[in-house]
Coordinates of all heavy atoms in Angstrom, one line a residue:
M1 N 186.8 22.2 90.6 CA 187.0 23.3 89.8 C 187.7 22.9 88.5 O 187.5 23.6 87.5 CB 187.9 24.3 90.6 CG 188.2 25.6 89.9 SD 186.8 26.6 89.6 CE 187.3 28.0 90.3
A2 N 188.5 21.8 88.5 CA 189.2 21.4 87.3 C 188.2 21.1 86.2 O 188.5 21.4 85.0 CB 190.0 20.2 87.6
R3 N 187.0 20.5 86.5 CA 186.1 20.2 85.5 C 185.5 21.4 84.8 O 184.9 21.3 83.7 CB 185.0 19.3 86.0 CG 183.8 19.9 86.7 CD 182.9 18.9 87.2 NE 183.6 17.8 87.7 CZ 183.2 16.7 88.1 NH1 181.9 16.4 88.1 NH2 183.9 15.7 88.5
F4 N 185.7 22.6 85.4 CA 185.3 23.8 84.8 C 186.4 24.6 84.1 O 186.3 25.8 83.9 CB 184.6 24.7 85.9 CG 183.3 24.1 86.4 CD1 183.3 23.4 87.6 CD2 182.1 24.1 85.7 CE1 182.2 22.8 88.1 CE2 181.0 23.5 86.1 CZ 181.0 22.8 87.4
A5 N 187.5 23.9 83.9 CA 188.7 24.5 83.3 C 189.1 25.8 83.9 O 189.5 26.8 83.3 CB 188.4 24.7 81.8
G6 N 189.0 25.8 85.3 CA 189.4 27.0 86.0 C 188.5 28.2 85.9 O 188.8 29.3 86.5
D7 N 187.3 28.0 85.3 CA 186.4 29.1 85.2 C 185.6 29.2 86.5 O 184.6 28.6 86.7 CB 185.4 28.8 84.0 CG 184.5 30.0 83.7 OD1 184.2 30.8 84.6 OD2 184.0 30.0 82.6
R8 N 186.1 30.1 87.4 CA 185.5 30.3 88.7 C 184.0 30.7 88.6 O 183.2 30.3 89.4 CB 186.3 31.3 89.5 CG 185.8 31.4 90.9 CD 186.7 32.2 91.8 NE 187.5 31.6 92.8 CZ 187.4 30.4 93.5 NH1 186.4 29.7 93.2 NH2 188.2 30.1 94.4
S9 N 183.7 31.6 87.7 CA 182.4 32.1 87.5 C 181.4 31.0 87.2 O 180.3 30.9 87.7 CB 182.4 33.2 86.4 OG 181.1 33.6 86.2
L10 N 181.8 30.1 86.3 CA 181.0 29.0 85.9 C 180.8 28.0 87.1 O 179.6 27.6 87.3 CB 181.5 28.2 84.7 CG 180.8 27.0 84.2 CD1 179.3 27.4 83.8 CD2 181.5 26.4 83.0
Y11 N 181.8 27.8 87.8 CA 181.7 26.9 89.0 C 180.8 27.6 90.0 O 179.9 26.9 90.6 CB 183.1 26.7 89.7 CG 183.0 25.9 90.9 CD1 182.8 24.5 90.8 CD2 183.0 26.4 92.2 CE1 182.7 23.7 91.9 CE2 182.9 25.7 93.3 CZ 182.7 24.3 93.2 OH 182.6 23.5 94.3
Q12 N 180.9 28.8 90.2 CA 180.0 29.5 91.2 C 178.5 29.4 90.7 O 177.6 29.3 91.6 CB 180.4 31.0 91.4 CG 181.7 31.1 92.2 CD 182.2 32.5 92.3 OE1 182.0 33.3 91.4 NE2 183.0 32.7 93.3
E13 N 178.3 29.5 89.4 CA 177.0 29.4 88.9 C 176.4 28.0 89.1 O 175.3 27.8 89.5 CB 177.0 29.7 87.4 CG 175.6 29.8 86.8 CD 175.7 30.2 85.3 OE1 176.6 31.0 84.9 OE2 174.9 29.7 84.5
M14 N 177.2 27.0 88.9 CA 176.8 25.6 89.1 C 176.6 25.3 90.6 O 175.7 24.6 91.0 CB 177.8 24.6 88.6 CG 178.0 24.7 87.0 SD 176.4 24.2 86.2 CE 175.9 25.8 85.6
A15 N 177.5 25.9 91.5 CA 177.3 25.7 92.9 C 176.0 26.4 93.4 O 175.3 25.8 94.2 CB 178.5 26.3 93.6
A16 N 175.7 27.5 92.8 CA 174.4 28.2 93.2 C 173.2 27.3 92.8 O 172.2 27.2 93.5 CB 174.3 29.6 92.5
C17 N 173.3 26.7 91.6 CA 172.3 25.8 91.2 C 172.1 24.6 92.1 O 171.0 24.2 92.5 CB 172.6 25.3 89.7 SG 171.4 24.2 89.0
F18 N 173.3 24.1 92.6 CA 173.3 23.0 93.5 C 172.6 23.4 94.8 O 171.7 22.7 95.3 CB 174.7 22.5 93.8 CG 174.8 21.5 94.9 CD1 174.6 20.2 94.6 CD2 175.1 21.9 96.2 CE1 174.7 19.2 95.6 CE2 175.2 20.9 97.2 CZ 175.0 19.6 96.9
F19 N 173.0 24.6 95.4 CA 172.4 25.0 96.6 C 170.9 25.2 96.5 O 170.2 25.0 97.5 CB 173.1 26.3 97.1 CG 174.5 26.2 97.5 CD1 175.5 27.1 97.1 CD2 174.9 25.1 98.3 CE1 176.8 27.0 97.5 CE2 176.3 25.0 98.7 CZ 177.2 25.9 98.3
E20 N 170.5 25.7 95.4 CA 169.0 25.9 95.2 C 168.2 24.6 95.0 O 167.2 24.5 95.6 CB 168.8 26.8 93.9 CG 167.4 27.1 93.6 CD 167.2 27.9 92.4 OE1 168.2 28.5 91.8 OE2 166.0 28.0 91.9
H21 N 168.8 23.7 94.2 CA 168.0 22.5 93.9 C 168.2 21.3 94.7 O 167.2 20.5 94.8 CB 168.2 22.2 92.4 CG 167.7 23.3 91.5 ND1 166.4 23.5 91.2 CD2 168.4 24.2 90.8 CE1 166.3 24.5 90.4 NE2 167.5 25.0 90.1
A22 N 169.3 21.1 95.3 CA 169.6 19.9 96.0 C 168.6 19.6 97.2 O 168.1 18.5 97.3 CB 171.1 19.8 96.5
P23 N 168.4 20.7 98.0 CA 167.4 20.4 99.1 C 166.0 20.1 98.6 O 165.3 19.3 99.2 CB 167.4 21.8 99.9 CG 168.7 22.4 99.5 CD 169.0 22.0 98.1
C24 N 165.6 20.7 97.5 CA 164.3 20.4 96.9 C 164.2 19.0 96.4 O 163.2 18.3 96.5 CB 164.0 21.4 95.7 SG 163.9 23.1 96.2
L25 N 165.3 18.5 95.8 CA 165.4 17.1 95.3 C 165.3 16.1 96.5 O 164.6 15.1 96.4 CB 166.6 16.9 94.5 CG 166.6 17.6 93.1 CD1 168.0 17.7 92.5 CD2 165.6 17.0 92.2
L26 N 166.0 16.4 97.6 CA 165.9 15.6 98.8 C 164.5 15.5 99.3 O 164.0 14.4 99.6 CB 166.9 16.0 99.9 CG 166.9 15.2 101.1 CD1 167.3 13.7 100.8 CD2 167.8 15.8 102.2
R27 N 163.8 16.7 99.3 CA 162.4 16.7 99.7 C 161.6 15.9 98.8 O 160.7 15.1 99.3 CB 161.9 18.2 99.7 CG 161.2 18.6 101.0 CD 160.8 20.0 101.1 NE 161.2 21.0 100.1 CZ 162.3 21.7 100.1 NH1 163.1 21.7 101.2 NH2 162.6 22.6 99.2
Q28 N 161.8 16.0 97.5 CA 161.0 15.2 96.5 C 161.3 13.7 96.7 O 160.4 12.9 96.5 CB 161.4 15.6 95.1 CG 160.5 15.0 94.1 CD 159.0 15.4 94.3 OE1 158.6 16.5 94.6 NE2 158.1 14.4 94.3
I29 N 162.5 13.3 97.0 CA 162.8 11.9 97.3 C 161.9 11.4 98.5 O 161.3 10.4 98.4 CB 164.3 11.7 97.6 CG1 165.1 11.8 96.3 CG2 164.5 10.4 98.2 CD1 166.6 11.9 96.4
R30 N 161.9 12.2 99.5 CA 161.1 11.9 100.7 C 159.6 11.8 100.4 O 158.9 10.8 100.8 CB 161.3 12.9 101.8 CG 162.6 12.8 102.5 CD 162.7 13.9 103.6 NE 163.9 13.9 104.3 CZ 164.3 13.0 105.2 NH1 163.5 12.1 105.6 NH2 165.5 13.1 105.7
V31 N 159.1 12.7 99.6 CA 157.7 12.7 99.2 C 157.4 11.5 98.4 O 156.3 10.9 98.5 CB 157.3 14.1 98.5 CG1 156.0 14.0 97.8 CG2 157.3 15.2 99.5
S32 N 158.3 11.2 97.5 CA 158.1 10.1 96.6 C 158.0 8.8 97.3 O 157.2 7.9 97.0 CB 159.2 10.0 95.5 OG 159.2 11.2 94.7
I33 N 158.9 8.7 98.3 CA 158.9 7.5 99.2 C 157.5 7.4 99.9 O 156.9 6.3 99.9 CB 160.1 7.4 100.1 CG1 161.4 7.2 99.3 CG2 159.9 6.4 101.2 CD1 162.6 7.4 100.1
A34 N 157.1 8.5 100.5 CA 155.8 8.4 101.2 C 154.7 8.1 100.3 O 153.7 7.4 100.8 CB 155.6 9.8 101.9
A35 N 154.7 8.5 99.1 CA 153.6 8.3 98.1 C 153.8 6.9 97.4 O 153.0 6.5 96.6 CB 153.6 9.4 97.1
K36 N 154.9 6.2 97.7 CA 155.3 5.0 97.1 C 155.3 5.1 95.5 O 154.9 4.3 94.8 CB 154.3 3.9 97.5 CG 154.4 3.6 99.0 CD 153.6 2.4 99.4 CE 153.6 2.1 100.8 NZ 154.5 2.5 101.7
D37 N 155.9 6.2 95.1 CA 156.0 6.6 93.7 C 157.4 6.3 93.2 O 158.3 7.2 93.3 CB 155.6 8.0 93.5 CG 155.6 8.5 92.0 OD1 156.2 7.8 91.2 OD2 155.0 9.5 91.8
A38 N 157.7 5.1 92.8 CA 159.0 4.7 92.4 C 159.6 5.5 91.2 O 160.8 5.8 91.2 CB 159.0 3.2 92.0
A39 N 158.7 5.8 90.3 CA 159.2 6.6 89.1 C 159.7 8.0 89.5 O 160.7 8.4 89.0 CB 158.0 6.7 88.0
E40 N 158.9 8.6 90.3 CA 159.3 10.0 90.8 C 160.6 9.9 91.7 O 161.4 10.7 91.6 CB 158.2 10.7 91.4 CG 158.5 12.1 91.9 CD 159.0 13.0 90.8 OE1 158.6 12.8 89.6 OE2 159.7 14.0 91.0
L41 N 160.6 8.9 92.5 CA 161.8 8.7 93.3 C 163.0 8.5 92.5 O 164.1 9.1 92.7 CB 161.6 7.4 94.2 CG 162.8 6.9 95.0 CD1 163.3 7.9 96.0 CD2 162.4 5.6 95.6
T42 N 162.9 7.7 91.4 CA 164.0 7.4 90.6 C 164.5 8.7 89.9 O 165.7 9.0 89.8 CB 163.7 6.3 89.5 OG1 163.3 5.1 90.2 CG2 164.8 6.0 88.6
R43 N 163.5 9.5 89.4 CA 163.8 10.7 88.7 C 164.5 11.7 89.6 O 165.5 12.3 89.2 CB 162.5 11.4 88.1 CG 162.8 12.6 87.3 CD 161.7 13.6 87.2 NE 161.3 14.1 88.5 CZ 162.0 15.1 89.1 NH1 163.0 15.7 88.6 NH2 161.5 15.6 90.3
A44 N 164.0 11.9 90.8 CA 164.6 12.9 91.8 C 166.0 12.4 92.2 O 166.9 13.3 92.2 CB 163.7 13.0 93.0
A45 N 166.2 11.1 92.4 CA 167.5 10.7 92.8 C 168.5 10.8 91.7 O 169.6 11.2 91.9 CB 167.4 9.2 93.3
H46 N 168.0 10.5 90.5 CA 168.9 10.6 89.3 C 169.3 12.1 89.1 O 170.5 12.4 88.9 CB 168.2 10.2 88.0 CG 169.0 10.4 86.8 ND1 170.0 9.5 86.4 CD2 169.0 11.3 85.9 CE1 170.5 9.9 85.3 NE2 169.9 11.0 84.9
T47 N 168.4 13.0 89.3 CA 168.7 14.4 89.1 C 169.7 14.9 90.2 O 170.6 15.6 89.9 CB 167.4 15.3 89.1 OG1 166.5 14.8 88.1 CG2 167.7 16.8 88.9
L48 N 169.5 14.5 91.4 CA 170.4 14.8 92.5 C 171.8 14.2 92.2 O 172.8 14.9 92.5 CB 169.9 14.3 93.9 CG 170.7 14.6 95.1 CD1 171.0 16.1 95.3 CD2 170.1 14.0 96.3
K49 N 171.8 13.0 91.8 CA 173.1 12.4 91.4 C 173.9 13.2 90.4 O 175.1 13.5 90.6 CB 172.8 11.0 90.9 CG 174.1 10.3 90.3 CD 173.7 8.9 89.7 CE 173.1 9.1 88.3 NZ 172.9 7.9 87.6
S50 N 173.2 13.6 89.4 CA 173.8 14.4 88.3 C 174.3 15.8 88.8 O 175.4 16.2 88.5 CB 172.9 14.6 87.1 OG 172.5 13.4 86.6
L51 N 173.4 16.4 89.6 CA 173.7 17.7 90.2 C 175.0 17.7 91.1 O 175.9 18.5 91.0 CB 172.5 18.3 90.9 CG 172.5 19.7 91.4 CD1 172.7 20.7 90.3 CD2 171.2 20.0 92.2
A52 N 175.0 16.6 91.9 CA 176.1 16.4 92.8 C 177.4 16.2 92.0 O 178.5 16.8 92.3 CB 175.9 15.3 93.8
A53 N 177.4 15.3 91.0 CA 178.5 15.1 90.2 C 179.1 16.3 89.5 O 180.3 16.5 89.4 CB 178.2 14.0 89.2
M54 N 178.1 17.1 89.1 CA 178.5 18.4 88.4 C 179.4 19.3 89.2 O 180.3 20.0 88.7 CB 177.2 19.1 87.9 CG 177.5 20.3 87.1 SD 175.9 21.0 86.5 CE 175.0 21.4 88.0
V55 N 179.1 19.3 90.5 CA 179.9 20.2 91.4 C 181.0 19.5 92.2 O 181.6 20.0 93.1 CB 179.0 21.0 92.4 CG1 178.1 21.9 91.7 CG2 178.3 20.0 93.3
G56 N 181.3 18.2 91.8 CA 182.4 17.5 92.4 C 182.0 16.7 93.7 O 182.9 16.3 94.4
G57 N 180.7 16.6 93.9 CA 180.3 15.9 95.1 C 180.1 14.4 94.8 O 178.9 13.9 94.8
Q58 N 181.2 13.7 94.6 CA 181.1 12.3 94.2 C 180.5 11.4 95.2 O 179.7 10.5 94.9 CB 182.4 11.8 93.7 CG 182.4 10.5 93.0 CD 181.5 10.6 91.7 OE1 181.6 11.5 90.9 NE2 180.5 9.7 91.6
T59 N 180.8 11.6 96.5 CA 180.2 10.8 97.5 C 178.6 10.9 97.5 O 177.9 9.9 97.6 CB 180.7 11.2 98.9 OG1 182.2 11.0 98.9 CG2 180.2 10.3 100.0
L60 N 178.2 12.2 97.4 CA 176.7 12.4 97.3 C 176.2 11.8 96.0 O 175.1 11.2 96.1 CB 176.4 13.9 97.3 CG 175.0 14.3 97.2 CD1 174.1 13.7 98.3 CD2 174.8 15.8 97.2
A61 N 176.9 11.9 94.9 CA 176.4 11.3 93.7 C 176.3 9.8 93.8 O 175.3 9.2 93.3 CB 177.4 11.7 92.5
D62 N 177.2 9.2 94.5 CA 177.2 7.7 94.7 C 176.0 7.3 95.6 O 175.3 6.3 95.3 CB 178.5 7.2 95.3 CG 179.7 7.3 94.3 OD1 179.5 7.5 93.1 OD2 180.8 7.3 94.9
A63 N 175.8 8.1 96.6 CA 174.7 7.8 97.5 C 173.3 8.0 96.8 O 172.4 7.2 96.9 CB 174.7 8.7 98.7
A64 N 173.2 9.0 96.0 CA 172.0 9.3 95.2 C 171.8 8.1 94.2 O 170.7 7.7 93.9 CB 172.0 10.6 94.5
A65 N 172.9 7.6 93.6 CA 172.8 6.5 92.7 C 172.2 5.3 93.3 O 171.5 4.5 92.7 CB 174.2 6.2 92.1
E66 N 172.6 5.0 94.6 CA 172.0 3.9 95.3 C 170.5 4.1 95.5 O 169.8 3.1 95.3 CB 172.7 3.8 96.7 CG 174.1 3.3 96.6 CD 174.7 3.1 98.0 OE1 174.0 2.5 98.9 OE2 175.8 3.6 98.2
V67 N 170.1 5.3 95.8 CA 168.7 5.5 95.9 C 168.0 5.4 94.6 O 166.9 4.8 94.5 CB 168.4 6.9 96.5 CG1 166.9 7.3 96.6 CG2 169.0 7.1 97.9
E68 N 168.6 5.9 93.6 CA 168.1 5.8 92.2 C 167.9 4.3 91.8 O 166.8 3.9 91.3 CB 169.0 6.5 91.2 CG 168.5 6.3 89.8 CD 169.5 6.9 88.8 OE1 170.7 7.1 89.1 OE2 169.1 7.1 87.6
Q69 N 168.9 3.5 92.1 CA 168.8 2.1 91.8 C 167.7 1.4 92.5 O 166.9 0.6 91.9 CB 170.1 1.4 92.1 CG 170.1 -0.1 91.8 CD 171.4 -0.8 92.1 OE1 172.3 -0.2 92.8 NE2 171.6 -2.0 91.6
Q70 N 167.5 1.7 93.8 CA 166.4 1.1 94.5 C 165.1 1.5 94.0 O 164.1 0.7 93.8 CB 166.5 1.5 96.0 CG 167.7 0.9 96.7 CD 167.9 -0.6 96.6 OE1 166.9 -1.3 96.7 NE2 169.1 -1.1 96.5
G71 N 165.0 2.8 93.6 CA 163.7 3.3 93.0 C 163.4 2.6 91.7 O 162.3 2.2 91.4
S72 N 164.4 2.4 90.9 CA 164.2 1.8 89.6 C 163.8 0.3 89.7 O 163.2 -0.2 88.8 CB 165.5 1.9 88.7 OG 166.5 1.1 89.2
Q73 N 164.1 -0.3 90.8 CA 163.7 -1.7 91.1 C 162.4 -1.7 91.9 O 162.0 -2.8 92.2 CB 164.8 -2.4 91.9 CG 166.1 -2.5 91.1 CD 167.3 -3.1 91.9 OE1 167.2 -3.3 93.1 NE2 168.4 -3.3 91.3
G74 N 161.9 -0.6 92.2 CA 160.6 -0.5 92.9 C 160.8 -0.9 94.4 O 159.8 -1.2 95.1
A75 N 162.0 -0.8 94.9 CA 162.3 -1.1 96.3 C 162.2 0.1 97.2 O 163.2 0.7 97.6 CB 163.7 -1.8 96.4
I76 N 161.0 0.5 97.4 CA 160.7 1.8 98.1 C 161.3 1.7 99.5 O 161.9 2.6 100.0 CB 159.2 2.1 98.1 CG1 158.7 2.2 96.7 CG2 158.9 3.4 98.9 CD1 159.2 3.4 95.9
A77 N 161.0 0.6 100.2 CA 161.5 0.4 101.6 C 163.0 0.5 101.7 O 163.5 1.1 102.6 CB 160.9 -0.9 102.2
A78 N 163.7 -0.1 100.8 CA 165.1 -0.1 100.7 C 165.6 1.3 100.5 O 166.6 1.8 101.1 CB 165.7 -1.1 99.7
A79 N 165.0 2.0 99.6 CA 165.3 3.4 99.3 C 165.1 4.3 100.6 O 165.9 5.2 100.9 CB 164.5 4.0 98.1
A80 N 164.0 4.0 101.3 CA 163.7 4.8 102.5 C 164.8 4.7 103.5 O 165.2 5.7 104.2 CB 162.4 4.3 103.1
E81 N 165.5 3.5 103.6 CA 166.6 3.3 104.6 C 167.8 4.1 104.2 O 168.7 4.3 105.0 CB 166.9 1.8 104.6 CG 165.8 1.0 105.3 CD 166.1 -0.5 105.3 OE1 167.3 -0.8 105.1 OE2 165.2 -1.3 105.5
L82 N 167.9 4.5 102.9 CA 169.1 5.3 102.5 C 168.9 6.8 102.6 O 169.9 7.5 102.4 CB 169.3 4.9 101.0 CG 169.6 3.4 100.7 CD1 169.7 3.2 99.2 CD2 170.9 3.0 101.4
V83 N 167.7 7.3 103.0 CA 167.5 8.7 103.0 C 168.3 9.4 104.1 O 168.8 10.5 103.8 CB 166.0 9.0 103.1 CG1 165.7 10.5 103.3 CG2 165.3 8.5 101.8
A84 N 168.3 8.9 105.3 CA 169.0 9.5 106.4 C 170.5 9.7 106.0 O 171.1 10.8 106.2 CB 168.8 8.8 107.7
P85 N 171.2 8.6 105.6 CA 172.6 8.8 105.2 C 172.7 9.8 104.0 O 173.7 10.6 104.0 CB 173.0 7.4 104.7 CG 172.1 6.4 105.4 CD 170.8 7.2 105.5
L86 N 171.8 9.8 103.1 CA 171.8 10.7 101.9 C 171.7 12.1 102.4 O 172.5 13.0 102.0 CB 170.7 10.4 101.0 CG 170.6 11.2 99.7 CD1 171.8 10.9 98.8 CD2 169.3 11.0 99.0
E87 N 170.9 12.4 103.4 CA 170.7 13.7 104.0 C 172.0 14.2 104.6 O 172.4 15.3 104.5 CB 169.5 13.7 104.9 CG 169.2 15.1 105.5 CD 168.0 15.1 106.3 OE1 167.5 14.1 106.7 OE2 167.4 16.2 106.5
S88 N 172.6 13.3 105.4 CA 173.9 13.6 106.0 C 175.0 13.9 105.0 O 175.7 14.9 105.2 CB 174.3 12.4 106.9 OG 175.5 12.6 107.5
I89 N 175.1 13.1 104.0 CA 176.1 13.4 102.9 C 175.8 14.7 102.2 O 176.7 15.4 101.9 CB 176.2 12.2 102.0 CG1 176.6 10.9 102.7 CG2 177.1 12.5 100.8 CD1 176.5 9.6 101.9
L90 N 174.5 15.0 102.0 CA 174.1 16.3 101.4 C 174.6 17.4 102.2 O 175.2 18.4 101.7 CB 172.6 16.3 101.2 CG 172.1 17.7 100.6 CD1 172.7 18.1 99.3 CD2 170.6 17.6 100.5
S91 N 174.4 17.3 103.5 CA 174.9 18.4 104.4 C 176.4 18.6 104.4 O 176.9 19.7 104.3 CB 174.5 18.1 105.9 OG 173.1 18.1 106.0
E92 N 177.1 17.4 104.4 CA 178.6 17.5 104.3 C 179.0 18.1 103.0 O 180.0 18.9 102.9 CB 179.2 16.1 104.4 CG 179.0 15.5 105.8 CD 179.3 14.0 105.9 OE1 179.8 13.4 104.9 OE2 179.0 13.4 106.9
T93 N 178.4 17.7 101.9 CA 178.7 18.2 100.6 C 178.5 19.7 100.5 O 179.3 20.5 100.0 CB 178.0 17.5 99.5 OG1 178.2 16.1 99.6 CG2 178.3 18.0 98.1
T94 N 177.3 20.1 101.0 CA 177.0 21.5 101.0 C 178.0 22.4 101.8 O 178.5 23.4 101.3 CB 175.6 21.8 101.6 OG1 174.6 21.0 100.8 CG2 175.2 23.2 101.6
A95 N 178.4 21.9 102.9 CA 179.4 22.6 103.7 C 180.8 22.6 103.0 O 181.5 23.6 103.2 CB 179.6 21.9 105.1
A96 N 181.1 21.6 102.2 CA 182.4 21.5 101.5 C 182.5 22.4 100.3 O 183.6 22.7 99.8 CB 182.7 20.1 101.2
I97 N 181.3 22.8 99.7 CA 181.4 23.5 98.5 C 181.7 24.9 98.7 O 181.5 25.8 99.3 CB 180.1 23.4 97.7 CG1 179.9 21.9 97.2 CG2 179.9 24.3 96.5 CD1 178.7 21.6 96.5

């Protein structure tokens, strides 16, 4: 909330954006891995990282950054191993918001 200068309305708007888009981005990460599309994997993970950071979900942002890094290196198999923990952290973050 501090990053929104106490503006509860703005925070709620950003949280709503997170709730709407984060599950879609996780789905896109899974689809990208299945398709072996490193560029799309990197984009989806980067967007999830930014969205999580925006609402204060630093642990999720850090996990998404790891997936993003693997995608940018073309390491699809390594990224795939990070999806289950990423999903768990997304659930925890969603519950905490």
Side-chain angles (χ1 to χ4, degrees):
M1 182 66 124
R3 84 182 38 187
F4 296 100
D7 187 338
R8 185 172 256 332
S9 175
L10 180 58
Y11 178 77
Q12 289 174 335
E13 187 176 325
M14 294 298 108
C17 182
F18 174 84
F19 291 136
E20 179 181 350
H21 295 287
C24 298
L25 290 164
L26 181 61
R27 226 175 355 266
Q28 190 56 47
I29 288 168
R30 288 181 182 279
V31 167
S32 299
I33 289 170
K36 298 188 183 339
D37 185 343
E40 182 58 26
L41 169 62
T42 301
R43 185 205 62 79
H46 177 81
T47 304
L48 180 58
K49 175 184 75 174
S50 299
L51 188 60
M54 183 174 60
V55 295
Q58 194 57 51
T59 302
L60 178 58
D62 292 344
E66 289 182 46
V67 175
E68 178 186 16
Q69 180 179 14
Q70 296 304 321
S72 70
Q73 296 173 356
I76 303 291
E81 292 177 15
L82 299 172
V83 172
L86 182 67
E87 186 172 18
S88 176
I89 296 167
L90 174 59
S91 294
E92 292 168 8
T93 303
T94 300
I97 292 177

